[in-house]
Amino acid sequence: MYITSQSLRAVAWSTLAFSATRASYVIDNLSFGQKEGAYISPDLQTIPHWIVQGIDDYMPQILTDRVILTPPYPGSKRSSLWTSDPLHHSGDWTAELDFRATGMDRGAGNLQFWYVKESQARETPQSLYTAKKFDGLVLVIDQYEGRGGSVRGFLNDGSIDIGSHPDPDTLAFGKCDHAYRNRGLLSSLKLHHADGFLEVMIDGESCFKTDKVNLPEGYYFGISASSAENPDSFEVHKFIVSTTNTYTREEPNKNRYPSSQSHQDQANMASKQGHEQQTHKQQQLVDNKKVDQMLEDVLASSIRSQQDQFADLHNRIQIINNRVAEMHEMLEGMVHANEQRFTDLMNRVVPIDDRSAATIRNVEKVERTTTAILRDLESKDFKDMMKQIHRTLEQSHEGLSRSLPAAMDVVYGSHKPSMTSFLLVAVAVQIMVMGAYLVYKKRRNGAPKKYL
């Protein structure tokens, strides 16, 4: 099967379009666990672009696919995760949290989903009931009112101390019931903010929705959890912030992206290298690797001007063309190597020499001899031979019939027992029995008598 360079280019274009479409939604520096099969932490101690906090010498346990905020053993543990970068969107965005809670039958604890100003992210891990005056939104998951679990939303502009309020639960602007403990499955809490409304969903179903809340940009996301003496273990598996806007997005590090002039220089350099001769291909590969290192995966909304967008797209298309050309050359090299290997193999198949011809003649001679023997055996008459064998067998049978009875008589007559010997044996046995009986009677009469 031969794959043309046009087919490879079409596949590369399709892959580039699909990747660009997916990358335009997820905000990577505000998310973790969004890539299937990828580790949350590169070193199992930190999460990129996130601040991991604990209290009382306890730190959350970071595993390959989850973060354990509170352990399954008692001790009133508290911990939190906070983004180190704020959200730069004021329009349509969605934040999704996948978590799980396990514990004993009467376990207690709570989980908070924060969207507040930076000051809250730098403080000790707090819950709704212990936090100071904060500015922003918090969603609380706990066993409020003993209903097996609920999700409640609270707003604060920095003027209310919810912890010191006589009845903080009355300040919730929305709530719904959700049995989140010991489900065996992950619970998905989603906060969707769009122009004109705010909606909270749990496991794909609407929890509450309002058109009177508009969250500002520049705030920080956070996740905190606390457990009681009878603990609940809260695990966070992923946190994903996404947007449908393709013209604006997060800028975690502007210095990592080259400028428009750099993009243009790289494009010119790649174009010149594409027309070099075969003697400069090694240098071209080195330069292409450098360009690949400079052009890392970025979010589309971080490129704000059309000129930067065109330069970035041009560079990436140039790299794809180079890679497709390399693949085409590799396939041609493989075809040439296979043809050379086939030619070498055919050259090794030499004509039959004289020794091989002699071997074939010997084999033919053996076949002729074998055929002659078979023919002789099939043509000869073996009746006389069979009659002679039959006559010999009859003579042997007659000789045995005549000599065997006489031999048996001689053997029987010389080895048979005599009558005198038989009588002597019988008399000796009778004498032995009588002697044994007399000895028995004598001992019995000499034994002491017992009287009752």
Side-chain angles (χ1 to χ4, degrees):
M1 180 179 179
Y2 181 73
I3 302 176
T4 62
S5 59
Q6 290 81 3
S7 301
L8 293 176
R9 287 191 177 91
V11 173
W13 272 102
S14 301
T15 305
L16 177 62
F18 180 74
S19 300
T21 302
R22 288 185 57 86
S24 63
Y25 289 95
V26 178
I27 304 175
D28 291 334
N29 66 309
L30 301 181
S31 308
F32 62 84
Q34 70 272 24
K35 297 180 180 179
E36 295 293 337
Y39 288 179
I40 293 178
S41 171
D43 54 3
L44 300 182
Q45 295 181 354
T46 60
I47 301 176
H49 305 290
W50 284 77
I51 302 173
V52 182
Q53 295 179 336
I55 191 173
D56 295 336
D57 296 332
Y58 171 76
M59 291 296 291
Q61 185 178 1
I62 303 176
L63 304 179
T64 57
D65 61 341
R66 73 195 71 178
V67 180
I68 301 178
L69 293 177
T70 55
Y73 51 84
S76 299
K77 305 298 182 182
R78 288 186 294 170
S79 64
S80 64
L81 304 174
W82 290 94
T83 58
S84 58
D85 302 312
L87 177 68
H88 291 301
H89 293 278
S90 59
D92 188 359
W93 55 266
T94 302
E96 182 178 0
L97 171 66
D98 287 1
F99 70 95
R100 178 166 55 193
T102 55
M104 56 187 67
D105 293 339
R106 298 182 179 273
N110 52 59
L111 180 71
Q112 284 79 219
F113 182 150
W114 302 87
Y115 181 68
V116 295
K117 279 189 175 181
E118 182 181 3
S119 59
Q120 179 70 19
R122 299 293 185 264
E123 295 179 357
T124 305
Q126 303 288 343
S127 66
L128 172 69
Y129 306 103
T130 60
K132 299 179 181 179
K133 297 179 181 180
F134 64 91
D135 185 358
L137 166 72
V138 59
L139 301 178
V140 181
I141 300 98
D142 59 6
Q143 300 185 77
Y144 171 68
E145 294 181 348
R147 296 182 180 179
S150 65
V151 179
R152 293 171 295 150
F154 296 85
L155 289 171
N156 196 352
D157 58 358
S159 61
I160 302 175
D161 189 356
I162 297 180
S164 62
H165 194 276
D167 192 1
D169 298 321
T170 59
L171 301 177
F173 71 93
K175 65 179 180 179
C176 68
D177 295 333
H178 175 64
Y180 61 92
R181 299 183 69 252
N182 298 324
R183 298 180 60 198
L185 301 174
L186 295 178
S187 297
S188 178
L189 179 63
K190 185 179 295 185
L191 177 64
H192 180 53
H193 180 269
D195 295 334
F197 70 92
L198 175 69
E199 184 178 12
V200 176
M201 292 177 287
I202 185 73
D203 290 342
E205 298 181 357
S206 179
C207 179
F208 57 86
K209 182 178 181 180
T210 179
D211 58 354
K212 298 180 181 179
V213 176
N214 186 18
L215 300 177
E217 63 176 320
Y219 281 28
Y220 292 78
F221 288 105
I223 309 166
S224 65
S226 60
S227 62
E229 290 297 329
N230 294 330
D232 273 338
S233 177
F234 286 97
E235 303 175 359
V236 176
H237 286 249
K238 67 178 179 180
F239 183 84
I240 300 176
V241 180
S242 60
T243 178
T244 58
N245 298 329
T246 58
Y247 54 87
T248 59
R249 66 172 49 208
E250 300 303 310
E251 298 179 357
N253 190 356
K254 295 181 181 180
N255 295 329
R256 62 181 289 190
Y257 309 123
S259 62
S260 174
Q261 185 63 33
S262 299
H263 281 298
Q264 190 65 31
D265 294 340
Q266 294 162 9
N268 295 334
M269 180 178 59
S271 178
K272 291 179 181 180
Q273 291 172 353
H275 296 286
E276 286 183 354
Q277 300 298 328
Q278 186 67 25
T279 56
H280 299 86
K281 285 185 177 181
Q282 188 66 29
Q283 183 64 29
Q284 179 183 1
L285 293 175
V286 174
D287 293 336
N288 285 337
K289 290 181 179 180
K290 292 181 179 179
V291 173
D292 292 345
Q293 294 176 357
M294 297 175 64
L295 295 178
E296 299 178 356
D297 293 337
V298 297
L299 300 175
S301 62
S302 64
I303 306 176
R304 301 184 180 277
S305 65
Q306 294 183 355
Q307 185 178 3
D308 291 342
Q309 291 178 357
F310 175 77
D312 183 76
L313 181 60
H314 177 76
N315 290 338
R316 296 181 185 279
I317 293 174
Q318 195 73 30
I319 292 174
I320 292 175
N321 289 334
N322 293 335
R323 293 296 175 266
V324 171
E326 292 175 3
M327 293 173 64
H328 182 68
E329 292 178 359
M330 185 184 300
L331 291 175
E332 290 182 349
M334 292 174 61
V335 171
H336 179 71
N338 291 332
E339 291 178 353
Q340 185 66 31
R341 190 178 297 111
F342 178 76
T343 303
D344 296 340
L345 182 61
M346 294 302 297
N347 292 333
R348 293 180 181 178
V349 181
V350 298
I352 299 176
D353 56 3
D354 296 337
R355 289 184 301 173
S356 299
T359 303
I360 292 176
R361 288 194 297 271
N362 292 333
V363 172
E364 292 177 352
K365 185 183 296 185
V366 171
E367 290 179 352
R368 287 194 299 269
T369 304
T370 305
T371 304
I373 293 172
L374 291 174
R375 187 167 53 250
D376 293 339
L377 291 175
E378 292 175 355
S379 61
K380 287 185 178 180
D381 190 3
F382 297 96
K383 291 182 179 180
D384 297 337
M385 186 180 296
M386 296 299 296
K387 288 181 180 180
Q388 184 177 358
I389 295 173
H390 184 67
R391 188 162 48 254
T392 303
L393 290 175
E394 288 180 350
Q395 293 175 358
S396 299
H397 179 69
E398 291 176 356
L400 288 174
S401 298
R402 288 193 300 267
S403 61
L404 185 61
M408 293 296 295
D409 291 339
V410 172
V411 172
Y412 178 74
S414 60
H415 293 86
K416 66 180 181 179
S418 62
M419 185 59 68
T420 304
S421 300
F422 177 77
L423 291 175
L424 290 176
V425 170
V427 172
V429 170
Q430 292 293 331
I431 293 172
M432 290 175 63
V433 171
M434 182 60 68
Y437 177 74
L438 292 175
V439 171
Y440 169 73
K441 292 292 290 182
K442 183 179 180 179
R443 288 185 177 182
R444 183 176 178 182
N445 294 331
K449 302 297 189 293
K450 294 182 179 181
Y451 300 95
L452 298 177

